[in-house]
Amino acid sequence: MTSVAPAVPDIRAHSTAANAAFADAVRDSVAARFDGLSDADAVLEQARALLADSDWVAALIAPLIDALRADPWFDPALRMTRDALRTAVVLADLPGVTLTASVTSAASLVRLDPPATVVLSGRRVLTLYVRGGQAEVRRWQLADAGPRRCVEIAPLQLADGDLIELDGRREGRLIVAATRDVVAVTATAKPGADPLLHEFAIADGRPVRSATADDRASRAELLLALLRASGRSDAADSFDAMTRDPAFHLRWAAIREWLMLDARTARPRLAEMAGMDPDAGVRAAATQTLERLDARIAAA
């Protein structure tokens, strides 16, 4: 049997060269459009101009497709996600915007059970439906008054070339049926985003859960949990630093883990957060937690 090991360096070199050329093309044809934009409105205005014609996507990825056809070992530097319904690839992840291409399977929409929840992503999004697939889209938005919940609004039917904006801080949508696969290019603005995504039950519109949409915050929360589970009471400085993070949900996650690890050491910082944290929700939660903690300490 002939070993493939000697060919590996050549494969890597070939992939590196093609991917470097792709990165240059992204920088020149896409990234330059968004340089210096720090406002979501400006980002989406530029995205609207970019998505007015989708031919640039084909031109951008054509060299990668050619390289893959010529060499089955070629490894394109594209981050992909795939689930039972959708395949997506990140075309460009820039400081102000992420550009993604996706295909939603019409066959899977028929086969899979409908979801029980709808997600509000927390981000403003502009989507070009290159192929709308005559898809039916159900839509929800946050209620204007009363308890926090989502209410369903009029659905949409997608046509080829539709360009639709979504404010994921207040709106959510689901493709529920399509006559053929739906092909889309999406621009997701990063400025002004809600750091959390929120999930609501379709049946009654009530909130189900909230979770961080920030990879950095997710990693930090995992590390904090690991420190607590490992009994690292010597990591007080690390916990204290994370309770001062700009992200309110990360500050609260840090103090919660710290309290579970060493409540007496964490108490002074909890008291500070109860009185001075910039977020009203964190202040309220810290105040309630402080009262319960002091009662437990007094009873011990």
Side-chain angles (χ1 to χ4, degrees):
M1 177 180 293
T2 303
S3 173
V4 299
V8 170
D10 291 338
I11 294 168
R12 288 175 176 169
H14 176 53
S15 296
T16 298
N19 287 326
F22 173 75
D24 289 342
V26 169
R27 184 189 64 240
D28 295 340
S29 65
V30 178
R33 291 173 171 263
F34 297 93
D35 282 349
L37 299 183
S38 57
D39 175 76
D41 288 331
V43 169
L44 291 179
E45 181 180 357
Q46 188 57 243
R48 189 174 295 274
L50 180 65
L51 296 180
D53 181 359
S54 64
D55 289 347
W56 63 271
V57 179
L60 186 67
I61 65 175
L64 299 182
I65 294 174
D66 291 343
L68 190 58
R69 284 173 176 161
D71 181 359
W73 291 97
F74 174 66
D75 184 19
L78 293 173
R79 191 167 80 247
M80 298 185 66
T81 59
R82 180 181 288 113
D83 57 29
L85 185 61
R86 184 178 292 104
T87 300
V89 59
V90 177
L91 300 172
D93 191 7
L94 307 173
V97 67
T98 300
L99 296 165
T100 308
S102 65
V103 177
T104 301
S105 169
S108 295
L109 285 168
V110 174
R111 185 175 64 253
L112 297 174
D113 292 334
T117 60
V118 61
V119 173
L120 275 59
S121 69
R123 296 182 183 273
R124 293 176 62 186
V125 175
L126 185 67
T127 301
L128 170 65
Y129 292 96
V130 181
R131 295 181 184 173
Q134 294 299 304
E136 180 186 352
V137 181
R138 292 178 67 184
R139 302 187 298 159
W140 290 261
Q141 66 181 21
L142 286 178
D144 292 330
R148 184 176 174 83
R149 66 186 186 92
C150 268
V151 294
E152 190 163 5
I153 59 176
L156 292 176
Q157 187 174 52
L158 300 178
D160 294 356
D162 280 351
L163 186 61
I164 299 175
E165 185 173 343
L166 173 80
D167 187 346
R169 299 168 301 182
R170 294 191 50 80
E171 302 171 319
R173 64 188 175 202
L174 288 170
I175 296 177
V176 295
T179 60
R180 56 192 176 99
D181 291 352
V182 178
V183 180
V185 182
T186 300
T188 303
K190 295 181 180 179
D194 187 331
L196 300 178
L197 58 83
H198 306 281
E199 192 171 1
F200 293 81
I202 288 175
D204 58 15
R206 293 181 179 178
V208 174
R209 70 183 183 99
S210 297
T212 180
D214 182 354
D215 289 343
R216 181 192 70 87
S218 293
R219 288 192 295 271
E221 289 186 22
L222 285 172
L223 290 171
L224 289 167
L226 178 61
L227 288 172
R228 187 259 306 163
S230 302
R232 293 295 301 272
S233 56
D234 60 328
D237 288 346
S238 297
F239 283 102
D240 183 85
M242 296 311 296
T243 65
R244 304 174 193 278
D245 191 88
F248 74 91
H249 59 289
L250 187 52
R251 295 197 300 274
W252 182 247
I255 193 65
R256 187 179 64 243
E257 296 288 351
W258 194 7
L259 287 166
M260 287 189 287
L261 174 64
D262 187 350
R264 291 184 181 274
T265 303
R267 187 201 175 283
R269 178 59 186 140
L270 177 67
E272 288 180 2
M273 295 175 73
M276 301 174 56
D277 193 89
D279 184 83
V282 171
R283 291 197 303 273
T287 298
Q288 294 175 7
T289 303
L290 183 62
E291 292 173 356
R292 292 196 296 267
L293 175 61
D294 284 348
R296 287 176 57 188
I297 292 175

